[in-house]
Amino acid sequence: MSHWWTQQQLKSKRPETRLLAVERLGAENNAQAVPTLTEVATDLNRDVRVAAIKALGETGNEEAVTPLVLALNDLDPEVREAAVLALQRIGDPQALEPLISTLQDTHEAVRWRAAKALEVLGWQPTGDAERVWRALALRDLCGAVKLGAAAVEPLLHLLQDRNFAHRRAVVEVLVQTDDARIVEPLILSLKDSDPHVRVAAADALNHLREPRAVQPLALCLRDKDHLVRAAAATALGKIGDAGALGALTRALEDRNWSVRKATVEALGKLGDSRAVEPLVALLTDADHDVREAAVSALGQLGDAQSLEWLVVSLADPQTNVRKAAAAALQKIDEQWERSEGAQRAIPALESAAQQKDYWVRHAAGYVLETIRNAPLSAPPRVSSSDTAHYKRLGAFDALLEALQDYDRDFRHAAAEALGRIGDLRSVDPLVAVLSDEDIWVRQSAAEALAALGWQPVSSPGNPFPDVGLEPASTSKMDSWGKAS
């Protein structure tokens, strides 16, 4: 009566009723239930199929192997995973070949279960191809890559995995193969539905420096995700193809600062002087990282037409931008202060000298003084072995020594002179003078340090209480204590 009732329940239209009937059959652990469970293993409901497959595995009967092998092709990965576990439980050798094929399943959990089942059954791969599939199934992508060319096709196959994290991991490891077969699939991955995969693909093509990727990467500069756009710009800079100039120039107007920064850096690497004018426009960007990158890129390009704007950037509110501008100017022209560009920059510097920001005023004033004091004609270059060179070095050392003179007037004058010279090597000696016994010497040292851009970060408020100086803003400080 009980068996008859179970059979009737298996015909119910309600999946819940059929599921209870299957679980009852499984609990009986009866080999005679195999034919019935085999039929139910194709039920329309996924949960009913899974229950039937588990029950078939519980029987331990060899007759259950055939329907379980068929279940390895089920459309639902949970059903396939249940079939693998059931075959492992039965342990019949005839399941080996189907389980080996399951190492290539599209679902990562099914592949992993198949590898573990084969491990339990004592299977060992017989060639590199099988070794690769086992390594991939066990999530050992690096181990698979070490097997060489045999790993390429299996890895490309896994680019179809439904899990974006798995696809991204495959893209990241593919680049280690340096195999020509990976280029086109990586280019296709630039259109992946997930932005993480698209970023990984752009990074991989960045490493490969593949010219075929230039146009697809240029299209990625319009991607809806800013991380993808930035990665594409970086890759285009690394590839260095002049054909990307137009797309990169347009990307300078991107609304995201990180994309603009990556684009600026890419243009610097292209080495095309046509990028100078659009890069100059970025020297007034709202983001200081973008401005710093633009300054450095212009230094890389080395075009004299950017001198005027680089000189103006010496009065930028951001310390790192000013430092980058000084470095860029030295790359382009070691005697930039005598250039026509420096002369053209004077009106902008004079305007900057009137700004409220202390560091802008100070920097602009210093640059103006440098330009105005420069000889109209460049003097002959002096080698480091020239006597005058050593005299200048000696004068600097003499001023440092004078900071310790017994006469307070000498100490006062030395501190003031060092502030005018602007050599950062005098910072530490001047800091020591802040504890001088004479208030006027202390004030002179404090003013010199302020001119050098120094301010102790750890002391809030007025860092020089004994000398009555107004401290610079501490809103954003760098390691030197300069306002940024």
Side-chain angles (χ1 to χ4, degrees):
M1 180 66 179
S2 174
H3 182 70
W4 176 85
W5 179 242
T6 300
Q7 291 292 335
Q8 294 304 310
Q9 286 184 311
L10 288 173
K11 297 177 183 178
S12 172
K13 293 182 179 181
R14 298 180 68 249
E16 297 84 358
T17 303
R18 299 198 303 275
L19 181 59
L20 288 172
V22 170
E23 290 175 346
R24 188 178 297 112
L25 279 174
E28 294 175 1
N29 196 17
N30 191 338
Q32 295 179 352
V34 170
T36 302
L37 290 171
T38 297
E39 184 177 346
V40 181
T42 60
D43 192 277
L44 293 177
N45 183 272
R46 186 270 310 276
D47 294 335
V48 176
R49 296 201 305 277
V50 170
I53 286 167
K54 288 181 178 178
L56 284 168
E58 292 290 339
T59 67
N61 194 300
E62 293 180 1
E63 293 182 5
V65 172
T66 299
L68 290 174
V69 168
L70 290 174
L72 292 175
N73 297 313
D74 193 278
L75 293 177
D76 193 285
E78 190 171 333
V79 176
R80 301 197 299 274
E81 188 175 353
V84 170
L85 287 169
L87 288 168
Q88 176 184 325
R89 187 175 184 85
I90 295 173
D92 193 296
Q94 63 179 312
L96 285 177
E97 287 302 322
L99 286 172
I100 292 171
S101 298
T102 305
L103 292 175
Q104 302 182 32
D105 192 276
T106 57
H107 199 275
E108 189 262 355
V110 179
R111 297 194 299 270
W112 187 83
R113 288 291 183 190
K116 287 298 183 181
L118 287 166
E119 199 173 272
V120 170
L121 296 174
W123 172 79
Q124 290 295 325
T126 57
D128 281 349
E130 290 184 349
R131 291 188 186 93
V132 167
W133 282 113
R134 181 179 68 171
L136 294 176
L138 292 173
R139 304 163 184 165
D140 182 14
L141 272 65
C142 292
V145 168
K146 290 178 181 177
L147 292 168
V152 174
E153 289 299 334
L155 282 167
L156 295 178
H157 174 78
L158 293 187
L159 285 176
Q160 308 304 316
D161 195 289
R162 295 181 181 180
N163 188 310
F164 83 86
H166 300 152
R167 298 198 302 276
R168 179 181 63 184
V170 171
V171 167
E172 290 172 347
V173 80
L174 268 172
V175 74
Q176 299 178 27
T177 66
D178 284 329
D179 192 292
R181 289 173 290 175
I182 72 174
V183 175
E184 290 301 330
L186 286 176
I187 290 175
L188 288 175
S189 293
L190 292 172
K191 299 180 180 180
D192 193 276
S193 60
D194 188 272
H196 299 87
V197 179
R198 300 199 295 274
V199 169
D203 289 341
L205 291 166
N206 174 3
H207 175 80
L208 294 176
R209 302 186 185 185
E210 174 55 55
R212 283 178 288 171
V214 171
Q215 289 307 313
L217 284 167
L219 292 175
C220 287
L221 293 174
R222 300 198 296 266
D223 194 279
K224 60 184 178 181
D225 189 281
H226 74 275
L227 294 176
V228 178
R229 301 197 299 274
T234 299
L236 287 169
K238 193 74 171 287
I239 294 172
D241 192 306
L245 179 65
L248 286 170
T249 301
R250 290 188 292 273
L252 289 174
E253 299 178 2
D254 196 281
R255 61 187 178 276
N256 184 276
W257 72 268
S258 65
V259 179
R260 297 197 301 276
K261 179 175 181 290
T263 304
V264 165
E265 292 170 343
L267 286 169
K269 291 176 181 176
L270 285 187
D272 194 316
S273 61
R274 290 176 293 174
V276 170
E277 185 174 346
L279 284 173
V280 164
L282 270 293
L283 294 177
T284 56
D285 192 273
D287 188 273
H288 63 81
D289 285 327
V290 177
R291 299 199 302 275
E292 182 181 350
V295 164
S296 298
L298 288 168
Q300 282 181 284
L301 294 177
D303 196 303
Q305 64 178 310
S306 63
L307 282 175
E308 174 185 350
W309 309 108
L310 287 172
V311 171
V312 174
S313 291
L314 290 172
D316 191 276
Q318 178 72 17
T319 303
N320 288 340
V321 178
R322 299 196 296 270
K323 290 180 178 178
L329 285 167
Q330 286 297 313
K331 284 183 179 180
I332 299 174
D333 185 353
E334 292 182 359
Q335 297 178 354
W336 58 266
E337 64 273 14
R338 302 186 182 93
S339 68
E340 292 182 7
Q343 293 297 317
R344 290 194 299 271
I346 288 178
L349 291 170
E350 289 175 335
S351 176
Q354 306 301 316
Q355 296 292 319
K356 292 182 179 180
D357 188 299
Y358 168 79
W359 293 109
V360 173
R361 295 199 313 273
H362 168 72
Y366 180 79
V367 177
L368 283 168
E369 185 178 0
T370 301
I371 295 172
R372 288 165 176 164
N373 291 340
L376 294 178
S377 59
R381 292 184 178 272
V382 180
S383 70
S384 59
S385 61
D386 190 90
T387 304
H389 171 76
Y390 287 102
K391 284 183 177 180
R392 287 191 293 273
L393 290 178
F396 179 80
D397 292 338
L399 287 171
L400 292 180
E401 187 175 347
L403 288 176
Q404 303 174 19
D405 195 273
Y406 70 92
D407 189 316
R408 71 171 189 178
D409 290 333
F410 274 99
R411 300 197 302 276
H412 174 82
E416 185 179 24
L418 287 168
R420 289 180 178 276
I421 291 174
D423 193 321
L424 290 177
R425 291 175 298 171
S426 61
V427 168
D428 289 340
L430 285 168
V431 170
V433 177
L434 291 176
S435 59
D436 193 276
E437 62 184 12
D438 186 271
I439 186 172
W440 300 110
V441 176
R442 295 199 300 272
Q443 180 168 335
S444 181
E447 291 174 345
L449 286 166
L452 289 167
W454 178 90
Q455 181 181 351
V457 178
S458 59
S459 301
N462 188 348
F464 311 122
D466 292 334
V467 295
L469 290 179
E470 288 295 327
S473 170
T474 57
S475 58
K476 292 174 72 178
M477 297 289 177
D478 63 11
S479 60
W480 278 91
K482 288 186 178 181
S484 60

